[in-house]
Amino acid sequence: MKQVIPFLVIASHFIFSSCLNDLPETISSEIEMNTTLAFPIGKTSLGLDADSGFNEDLLQINPLTNKPYWVEYEEIPLDYSMSFEVGDIYQSTEEIIQLLFRLNIYNGFPALVRVQLYFIDTDGFPVDSVFSAGPVQLNPATANSFGAIIRKPHYTSDILFDSERIDNLQYVDRIVVYAVFSTNGIDESLVQYYHSYAVDVQLGVKATLKFNP
C-alpha cells in the first residue's frame, strides 16, 4: 500500500484560519464507497468415479465386446456440486454492484468435452448458468502411446454478472459443474486408461460492493 510522505508546511496564522473556515460543517450521508472482494468458490477433477456422479459399474468389462460398458454410450455425463450463496459475500449494509466469475478448465480426456455450470436454488431447480450461450467445448487432450496425457487443452474465461443476473441468484445455494465427454471417434487403444483421466475445473469470484455509511 502506498504511503503518503509527510512534509512541513509553513504558513501564516491568517492563511491557516481561512482554510479552516472553508471546511464543510457536515459530511453528506449520501457518500458511497466501493470496494472489491475476491475469493475461490471451489475446484474439482471430474473423472470416472462416484464423486463425479459416474456409475463405476460401467468400468466393468462387457464379455461380449471385451470393452468397458461405458463405451457403449455415446456420451458420458459427469457432475460435481460446489457450495455458493450470494448472502455469504455481503451483509445488509452492503450492496453487490457486480460479480465477476473467473473460470479455468483443463480437459484431461482424449475426447471432446462440453462443460457448463448451473446455479441451483434451494428447491433443486437451475435458475441460471455461467455460459448463457450454451456449454463451452474443449478439444481432446493428447496422450502418448502409454496412455499418459502430455497436453491438456485449457480454457479460461471471466464472466460478468450485472445487477439483474445477481438478483436471480438470491435463493441459490450451490453451483453444479456439468461435463460431458463424447465416445464418438475415441482411440480404442486408450480406453483402458480412461479411469485415470479427468477434467479439472477451478472457479472463483470477485465481487464489487457498494457501502452506504
Side-chain angles (χ1 to χ4, degrees):
M1 181 180 297
K2 295 181 178 179
Q3 301 291 333
V4 176
I5 302 176
F7 60 92
L8 181 63
V9 177
I10 303 176
S12 67
H13 176 73
F14 174 77
I15 296 176
F16 180 73
S17 299
S18 65
C19 290
L20 290 178
N21 292 333
D22 292 337
L23 292 176
E25 294 182 359
T26 60
I27 299 177
S28 172
S29 61
E30 296 180 356
I31 293 178
E32 297 177 351
M33 183 171 56
N34 294 345
T35 188
T36 59
L37 175 67
F39 60 91
I41 295 176
K43 61 181 180 179
T44 185
S45 292
L46 293 165
L48 302 187
D49 53 54
D51 291 340
S52 303
F54 178 74
N55 181 359
E56 293 181 320
D57 289 341
L58 297 179
L59 291 174
Q60 297 180 16
I61 303 299
N62 183 339
L64 298 179
T65 63
N66 202 32
K67 299 176 183 177
Y69 284 101
W70 63 261
V71 179
E72 301 172 15
Y73 295 82
E74 291 185 2
E75 295 183 335
I76 303 299
L78 306 169
D79 64 80
Y80 182 83
S81 294
M82 299 178 179
S83 298
F84 175 76
E85 295 186 31
V86 171
D88 292 338
I89 299 176
Y90 70 104
Q91 304 298 324
S92 59
T93 56
E94 305 162 11
E95 179 183 345
I96 300 179
I97 299 175
Q98 65 181 25
L99 292 175
L100 183 68
F101 292 93
R102 165 64 62 87
L103 181 67
N104 280 292
I105 307 174
Y106 296 84
N107 181 19
F109 281 99
L112 287 173
V113 170
R114 301 194 311 274
V115 179
Q116 179 64 280
L117 288 81
Y118 297 98
F119 295 91
I120 308 299
D121 66 17
T122 54
D123 293 324
F125 293 102
V127 300
D128 204 343
S129 60
V130 169
F131 302 115
S132 57
V136 62
Q137 180 171 288
L138 285 84
N139 290 326
T142 302
N144 61 23
S145 58
F146 300 101
I149 299 299
I150 57 177
R151 188 187 68 84
K152 294 182 179 182
H154 174 222
Y155 177 86
T156 185
S157 180
D158 289 334
I159 304 95
L160 184 65
F161 273 49
D162 58 18
S163 58
E164 182 177 351
R165 293 190 75 183
I166 293 172
D167 288 342
N168 293 335
L169 306 182
Q170 182 178 1
Y171 300 108
V172 165
D173 66 356
R174 65 189 184 277
I175 297 175
V176 173
V177 183
Y178 187 76
V180 177
F181 75 82
S182 173
T183 61
N184 292 329
I186 63 174
D187 187 343
E188 294 190 1
S189 67
L190 298 176
V191 167
Q192 60 182 315
Y193 304 109
Y194 265 70
H195 66 279
S196 62
Y197 299 151
V199 176
D200 298 320
V201 179
Q202 302 169 341
L203 182 64
V205 66
K206 181 172 71 173
T208 302
L209 309 176
K210 180 176 69 176
F211 291 82
N212 295 315

